Amino acid sequence: MSKRAYNFNAGPAALPLEVLTRAQAEFVDFRGTGMSIMEMSHRGKVYEEVHHEAENRLLSLLGNPQGYKVLFLQGGASTQFAMIPMNFLTEGKTASYVKSGSWADKAIKEAELIGETHIAASSEADKYMKIPDLGSIEIPNNAAYLHVTSNETIEGTQYQLYPETGDVPLIADMSSDILCREFDVNQFDFIYAGAQKNLGPSGVTVVIAREELLTDSPRHIPTMLRYSTHAKNDSLYNTPPSFSVYMVNEVLKWIEEQGGLAGVEQANRKKAGLIYDIIDSSEGFYRGPVDAGSRSLMNITFRLASEELEKQFIKESEQAGFVGLKGHRSVGGLRASTYNAVPYESCKALADFMADFKKSHG
């Protein structure tokens, strides 16, 4: 097999090699059916087994919380930005959001199209280089929910702790850090995540929510945009993204093999530590713009002295087999996305490359 790239793409992102190899082995003939899983009916017994296995495996990794249901939806997290207020922002209520960066801002803009919104806290004044202080969050009395973006993929910030919201439902977009560490799912009423960063390939969006939130969606919104439609039909109301769901199930198996969330978290802290250590010990050659208490385990952003030097870094890194280190076009700079499936070896190689680059350009 040809050498694998050092893949630091922000999404679609690296998948575990073991998962890709297993999928390859089953691609043409799945479990002796003489068909690929992509070719079979989503109403058939074989696919339904995989579908339910994935749901149960996800809840099991989260400690089997009581009263939660898993949905497999389509349209990415971006469709959830609209579905959430359509389903939960009822008459006389306000949707409350913590404005922590580019993705939180997109979620807010969608909610503003649906109804009354409120900014509970914001770090815009800090150019989103930190997560707003939890103590600064103000939730209005008539809040339908509080929405947080757990990890800002573009800026490279991540919540270390989550707000306590009392009776107000806490909703989290965890697209870029779901299952990267241990957390208490019972703190949340509704979690959603596009799969293509930490859970599998693009094409499926995962929702983990308290069942009572999914039972009674407003009747005036389109059928496919009601959570109740998908909850009642076990995410099989229409044809699900069956291959993506199969891949999510395989990635979840792989996470179990790594020792569950505790094992994955330990690995992620080591991986991110390699790169942050190079930044912090570079005497200002590399600059990490994010406040130390808000640094992301998943998206490590950094700058060099000039844009010219950053271009040179990209050029030389690509020649050395690194992929995806250019920062998002909206903020520039450099970014290494170190999701669960990015191996330790890739992060070690990047840390070594960064040290060498500093030697030759410092």
Side-chain angles (χ1 to χ4, degrees), residues 72-250:
F72 295 125
L73 306 176
Q74 295 173 68
S78 297
T79 299
Q80 296 305 303
F81 295 164
M83 269 179 83
I84 286 163
M86 286 170 99
N87 281 265
F88 305 134
L89 182 49
T90 49
E91 195 68 40
K93 292 278 191 181
T94 299
S96 197
Y97 285 77
V98 178
K99 195 174 179 181
S100 54
S102 305
W103 288 106
D105 193 42
K106 287 187 173 178
I108 293 163
K109 286 191 165 73
E110 289 298 289
E112 285 170 348
L113 301 173
I114 311 296
E116 197 63 45
T117 58
H118 163 265
I119 307 300
S122 172
S123 54
E124 192 171 7
D126 301 301
K127 294 198 166 81
Y128 299 132
M129 287 300 121
K130 64 191 287 259
I131 293 294
D133 181 46
L134 296 191
S136 72
I137 295 175
E138 290 178 9
I139 307 171
N141 292 331
N142 67 337
Y145 55 81
L146 178 72
H147 178 286
V148 297
T149 306
S150 178
N151 183 81
E152 287 283 2
T153 321
I154 291 175
E155 288 82 9
T157 60
Q158 185 179 32
Y159 281 77
Q160 308 307 314
L161 296 166
Y162 295 102
E164 296 290 344
T165 57
D167 295 336
V168 176
L170 179 60
I171 295 181
D173 174 1
M174 288 195 181
S175 293
S176 51
D177 71 342
I178 192 164
L179 305 190
C180 79
R181 59 186 176 181
E182 292 187 284
F183 71 99
D184 180 10
V185 74
N186 293 292
Q187 230 191 309
F188 300 89
D189 298 86
F190 190 104
I191 292 166
Y192 65 100
Q196 67 276 10
K197 299 173 194 296
N198 248 0
L199 289 176
S202 57
V204 63
T205 303
V206 173
V207 165
I208 306 153
R210 290 193 193 276
E211 286 176 31
E212 64 262 27
L213 282 180
L214 304 174
T215 49
D216 210 14
S217 302
R219 304 295 298 164
H220 66 271
I221 61 176
T223 308
M224 282 297 290
L225 298 175
R226 291 178 212 153
Y227 290 116
S228 57
T229 301
H230 302 288
K232 279 178 197 141
N233 294 281
D234 218 359
S235 307
L236 294 163
Y237 176 78
N238 70 330
T239 311
S242 50
F243 186 73
S244 296
V245 172
Y246 154 76
M247 287 293 284
V248 166
N249 189 37
E250 293 302 318

Side-chain angles (χ1 to χ4, degrees), residues 129 155-156 275-276 278-280 282 284-292 295 300-304 334:
M129 287 300 121
E155 288 82 9
I275 300 164
Y276 281 125
I278 291 284
I279 294 168
D280 293 341
S282 72
F285 182 79
Y286 296 108
R287 190 169 52 77
V290 170
D291 180 79
R295 280 177 163 181
I300 301 170
T301 51
F302 55 101
R303 302 298 310 235
L304 289 165
L334 301 156

